[in-house]
Amino acid sequence: MEESKKRINVHIDETQTIIELTGKLQQFNSDIYLQKVMRGNVLEANVKSFLGLVTLHLENGDSISVRAVGEDCEEALEAVVDFLT
């Protein structure tokens, strides 16, 4: 199974919403995950899961890892990076 990873710093416009991101990524077959360290704990959420994303409490300046697994992982990863940076 193909996998792609990238570390980024979040910088989103205040008009962007997580709902937009989850909707944008439904076209991809790959599973896409965001990983963030909060209070010493590593949290990982599937980007296609609205509830999972809410638990990450993403804010501008957060340093996160983006990981995509599947046949279209490169395209999926780039879509997430483009949206969050």
Side-chain angles (χ1 to χ4, degrees), residues 5-51:
K5 292 181 182 180
K6 193 167 195 175
R7 188 121 184 112
I8 64 168
N9 288 321
V10 175
H11 181 76
I12 55 177
D13 187 285
E14 58 189 51
T15 62
Q16 293 173 290
T17 67
I18 293 302
I19 295 170
E20 288 177 279
L21 178 58
T22 57
K24 184 177 185 174
L25 298 176
Q26 295 304 318
Q27 66 179 320
F28 297 105
N29 293 321
S30 293
D31 290 319
I32 310 153
Y33 303 93
L34 298 182
Q35 190 177 74
K36 177 181 172 181
V37 177
M38 280 182 55
R39 298 184 197 118
N41 297 314
V42 177
L43 300 177
E44 184 173 74
N46 187 319
V47 179
K48 293 180 181 178
S49 164
F50 176 72
L51 220 44

